[in-house]
Amino acid sequence: MAQAVRFYEVGGPEVLRWEDVEVGHPGPGEVRVRHEAVGLNFADTYFRTGLYPAPLPAGMGVEAAGVIEEVGPDVTGFAAGDRVTYTGSPLGAYSTERVMPAEHLIALPDGIAFDTAASMTMRGLTTAYLLRRIHPLRAGDTVLLHAAAGGVGLLFVQWAKLLGLTVIGTVSTEEKAEVARAHGCDHVILYTREDVAARVRQITGGAGVPVVYDSIGATTFATSLDSLARRGLLVCFGTASGPIPPINAMQLAVKGSLFVTRPALADYIADPAERAELAGELFAHVAAGRIRVEINQRYKLSDAEQAHRDLESGRSVGSSVFTL
């Protein structure tokens, strides 16, 4: 008998239930995976609250790392005993074991621990597509990143420095500012005390930045637009504070012929070859120590309710993970 976190109605963290579940055997194209660690991502809360609709009852989570226990018919490229990680699969990662489609799996190199993989596969691949696919960045460019001390933020800052970028990061506290600086953030703005757009203009000599990376959403949208240089790009890749408001096309013109995109990780890893390329670059940086993955919060999977409360409170710094 396996255990899993499930929810039967949308709502706050209290709707999450820890239950015994039957796993069964994999069918065609499927595998049974025994999890060693499970990822905790802010996007998980979107499913729980109903922002991302899911048929109920449902499992929780889309990211984990572990070992293949059993392979179903028609599965190629994987075998029992293989170390794997994944993100973006059907809901159900908050579990000790599960049956899932093999197409979502990514082979995990021996040099990367399970907890590291579970805490950074989604965040790392998100960072990879943000920096390597969205916009043709050049060494010397300056970019603005909101939530620079978050899970994606700390990976982003380190990778950006490898590319020769100057990073302006926003954070909420002095403690988080220190963390962001320690990971290479060149300029840190406390958005709780400072006018972000004004500081960005000051840092860039009035020009603004060519790209803003915004995972916050509703509360930062206007500031992000005001921080852009002429013909700049706003990348809205998250909605931690709520969805962005409707876009006024004329406003984009008035503010400097700006661009806005709302990308989703799924569209950048849907192609197996592209997913393998992005994962390979990510794993190479992590294995070589060029990018450090720091897990600052660890939880038992049965404590998912508390983990979600901590995540939504803003107390979390860097990556979080469930260990089994």
Side-chain angles (χ1 to χ4, degrees), residues 76-164:
T76 59
F78 293 101
D82 284 354
R83 304 173 81 249
V84 293
T85 186
Y86 64 84
T87 187
S89 67
L91 291 173
Y94 284 23
S95 57
T96 56
E97 290 187 37
R98 71 179 299 193
V99 168
M100 61 175 289
E103 64 181 336
H104 295 292
L105 297 178
I106 302 170
L108 182 62
D110 290 339
I112 298 180
F114 289 116
D115 57 353
T116 298
S119 70
M120 66 91 173
T121 298
M122 175 181 281
R123 296 177 177 93
L125 289 175
T126 296
T127 301
Y129 88 74
L130 290 175
L131 287 171
R132 306 299 279 165
R133 294 292 188 272
I134 292 285
H135 183 80
L137 296 164
R138 298 172 296 180
D141 283 347
T142 299
V143 300
L144 173 64
L145 171 71
H146 290 293
V152 170
L154 296 183
L155 298 179
F156 182 104
V157 170
Q158 294 176 80
W159 202 329
K161 299 310 296 179
L162 295 175
L163 298 175

Side-chain angles (χ1 to χ4, degrees), residues 18-267:
W18 177 244
E19 300 180 339
D20 290 334
V21 295
E22 292 285 350
V23 176
H25 298 283
E30 296 180 330
V31 297
R32 179 165 58 89
V33 178
R34 171 175 49 81
H35 290 151
E36 296 287 345
V38 173
L40 171 60
N41 298 285
F42 204 91
D44 298 344
T45 69
Y46 300 160
F47 290 101
R48 195 205 70 230
T49 62
L51 180 63
Y52 289 174
L56 300 177
M60 175 58 65
V62 296
E63 176 184 38
V67 177
I68 295 177
E69 293 287 290
E70 185 179 359
V71 173
D74 304 324
V75 172
T76 59
F78 293 101
D82 284 354
R83 304 173 81 249
V84 293
T85 186
Y86 64 84
T87 187
S89 67
L91 291 173
Y94 284 23
S95 57
T96 56
E97 290 187 37
R98 71 179 299 193
V99 168
M100 61 175 289
E103 64 181 336
H104 295 292
L105 297 178
I106 302 170
L108 182 62
D110 290 339
I112 298 180
F114 289 116
D115 57 353
T116 298
S119 70
M120 66 91 173
T121 298
M122 175 181 281
R123 296 177 177 93
L125 289 175
T126 296
T127 301
Y129 88 74
L130 290 175
L131 287 171
R132 306 299 279 165
R133 294 292 188 272
I134 292 285
H135 183 80
L137 296 164
R138 298 172 296 180
D141 283 347
T142 299
V143 300
L144 173 64
L145 171 71
H146 290 293
V152 170
L154 296 183
L155 298 179
F156 182 104
V157 170
Q158 294 176 80
W159 202 329
K161 299 310 296 179
L162 295 175
L163 298 175
L165 305 178
T166 296
V167 181
I168 304 171
T170 71
V171 298
S172 59
T173 66
E174 286 287 0
E175 177 190 15
K176 290 185 177 182
E178 292 179 9
V179 172
R181 291 190 191 98
H183 286 77
C185 199
D186 299 280
H187 306 276
V188 181
I189 301 173
L190 269 69
Y191 68 82
T192 51
R193 304 179 189 174
E194 302 176 85
D195 183 322
V196 173
R199 283 283 290 124
V200 169
R201 296 287 173 184
Q202 181 183 52
I203 292 167
T204 59
V209 294
V211 189
V212 174
Y213 297 91
D214 189 341
S215 62
I216 306 302
T219 61
T220 51
F221 180 73
T223 293
S224 294
L225 289 179
D226 289 341
S227 299
L228 285 169
R230 181 176 285 115
R231 294 162 56 184
L233 171 65
L234 170 55
V235 183
C236 299
F237 69 99
T239 52
S241 68
I244 62 173
I247 295 172
N248 182 329
M250 185 54 67
Q251 181 187 39
L252 300 183
V254 170
K255 289 181 177 292
S257 299
L258 305 180
F259 297 85
V260 178
T261 184
R262 177 51 171 102
L265 173 60
D267 293 315

